[in-house]
Amino acid sequence: MKRPFAALVLAAALVLAAVPAVSAAAPALSVNGPSGTVRAGEAFEVTVELSSGAAFNTAQFILRFDQNAMECVKAEPGPLLAGALTSANASNRKGAAVAAAWTEPLRGGGVLGTFQFKAKTDLSAPRFALTDVLLTDLEGRELEVFIPENLRLPSFPDARGHWAEDAIRETAFQGLLAGDADGAFHPEGTVTLREMICLLWRAAGRPEPDPKAGASFQELEGFDAETRNAILWGYGRGLFRGTETDAFSSDAALTRQAAVKLLFSYAGGQTGLESLFFSVYDGTFTDSGQIASWAKPAVYWSVYHEILSGNSQNALRPGEAVTRAQLSAILARALDRDIL
């Protein structure tokens, strides 16, 4: 399932002359980059290195990073792969990718990949992760590779084995949703309007709010500076409106239809194509009549883009409170479709 990037390189290697594989201790991967603060606009280099270990004939990996906070402008195979058949992609959907194949077993350690980055915002010790890692011998047998815990996607004890575990780990790595101080994610917990606005603000790269937005909500006084900026930004973007009492119910549990309405507004609204399917969706989902009129374009937009789906009874449950697990799945699909 995670092999497509290396498929072409691996196939090329397998048709070449067979060379006996050499077994050794499991190699370890490491990522080396700036350890301190990187200012917005600054360039920096990151390398992925392999320790000495088992000989291998093919390799692949994806270097994951927060694409809202930094940009990979160049990806190159490292010196260890000199002479190999290689492929590198600085703008893979998930991150920056490198794959390689060689007719003889590669031995020893060294740099597998070199990456040039540019910071989009101030970064304090930029975070990275390694996924889709694969080393094989010439016969295609996968070799064991040690990846340190700090280079894995976040994991939460109460989300292990959960149907949304992959989405939870993805959205946590992207900094959209996080666990609590005890390391728990609470997948069945609810999400508030304030939390949703803050995560969209983070996804947008933490922009400064429009000083002309003119919002003055009672709740703002009790929030930290980042939350205030997020709320003012969201108001200025037209993602939400307050009430007659200058409040916006920041701690109200968000419904599924309200969550996708905010995402829909963040993405710029209806493209027009999905409107052709409104009557089809009305007849498809058993609770389509429960969708609020203000939310229907957003709900059906999310269905059209496969961000939201019905359950086994073809119900969308628009008025139910969205859980953290459900929102993680929604956000992961939005990331997958370049909506976030």
Side-chain angles (χ1 to χ4, degrees):
M1 183 175 63
K2 66 176 186 178
R3 310 291 188 247
F5 179 70
L8 183 60
V9 174
L10 180 59
L14 291 176
V15 299
L16 299 173
V19 177
V22 179
S23 61
L29 287 172
S30 62
V31 175
N32 300 290
S35 57
T37 299
V38 178
R39 300 299 179 188
E42 288 184 353
F44 59 96
E45 183 177 278
V46 173
T47 60
V48 174
E49 298 187 22
L50 182 73
S51 69
S52 297
F56 63 96
N57 292 82
T58 66
Q60 76 166 44
F61 65 87
I62 295 179
L63 179 64
R64 303 290 299 277
F65 55 93
D66 184 350
Q67 297 187 43
N68 292 308
M70 62 187 102
E71 175 188 8
C72 184
V73 296
K74 189 175 184 180
E76 294 181 309
L80 182 60
L81 302 177
L85 175 65
T86 60
S87 175
N89 185 353
S91 55
N92 181 277
R93 179 184 58 78
K94 290 184 177 180
V98 167
W102 187 239
T103 58
E104 299 179 358
L106 293 173
R107 297 180 176 86
V111 177
L112 285 174
T114 301
F115 306 87
Q116 303 296 329
F117 282 90
K118 184 176 182 180
K120 295 181 181 180
T121 185
D122 289 350
L123 303 172
S124 177
R127 273 186 321 128
F128 297 93
L130 291 170
T131 64
D132 299 78
V133 174
L134 177 67
L135 264 65
T136 71
D137 61 21
L138 192 58
E139 296 180 2
R141 294 174 300 196
E142 186 170 347
L143 304 175
E144 182 183 358
V145 183
F146 175 72
I147 303 173
E149 191 63 33
N150 68 318
L151 294 179
R152 299 175 183 268
L153 296 184
S155 180
F156 305 94
D158 59 344
R160 288 174 189 153
H162 194 282
W163 65 265
E165 181 179 9
D166 288 346
I168 288 169
R169 298 185 70 183
E170 179 68 31
T171 52
F173 177 74
Q174 297 294 340
L176 302 178
L177 289 169
D180 63 17
D182 296 323
F185 187 80
H186 306 287
E188 304 311 316
T190 57
V191 180
T192 67
L193 172 60
R194 170 162 49 93
E195 289 172 331
M196 183 71 179
I197 294 169
C198 285
L199 74 84
L200 290 175
W201 175 72
R202 291 193 292 272
R206 295 175 170 82
E208 289 294 324
D210 183 354
K212 299 179 181 179
S216 59
F217 298 115
Q218 295 172 353
E219 295 104 317
L220 287 179
E221 296 180 4
F223 296 149
D224 58 50
E226 285 202 346
T227 302
R228 288 196 298 271
N229 281 344
I231 292 169
L232 291 172
W233 166 82
Y235 182 84
R237 279 281 305 267
L239 301 187
F240 70 96
R241 288 290 178 263
T243 68
E244 294 178 356
T245 58
D246 291 328
F248 74 107
S249 303
S250 62
D251 289 321
L254 207 63
T255 62
R256 286 163 59 84
Q257 64 184 356
V260 295
K261 174 63 166 65
L262 287 165
L263 186 60
F264 173 74
S265 298
Y266 173 89
Q270 194 170 321
T271 63
L273 294 177
E274 64 270 19
S275 63
L276 300 175
F277 295 88
F278 276 22
S279 60
V280 175
Y281 295 151
D282 278 341
T284 299
F285 299 106
T286 57
D287 55 355
S288 59
Q290 299 175 24
I291 304 172
S293 58
W294 54 264
K296 180 165 282 192
V299 170
Y300 285 169
W301 166 86
S302 67
V303 170
Y304 177 81
H305 289 285
E306 299 180 328
I307 294 169
L308 191 69
S309 61
N311 60 16
S312 57
Q313 286 76 45
N314 277 344
L316 289 169
R317 298 160 292 154
E320 288 185 12
V322 67
T323 67
R324 288 168 57 82
Q326 291 169 359
L327 184 59
S328 292
I330 289 170
L331 297 173
R333 293 169 194 148
L335 286 166
D336 194 49
R337 289 151 180 78
D338 293 325
I339 291 170
L340 277 179

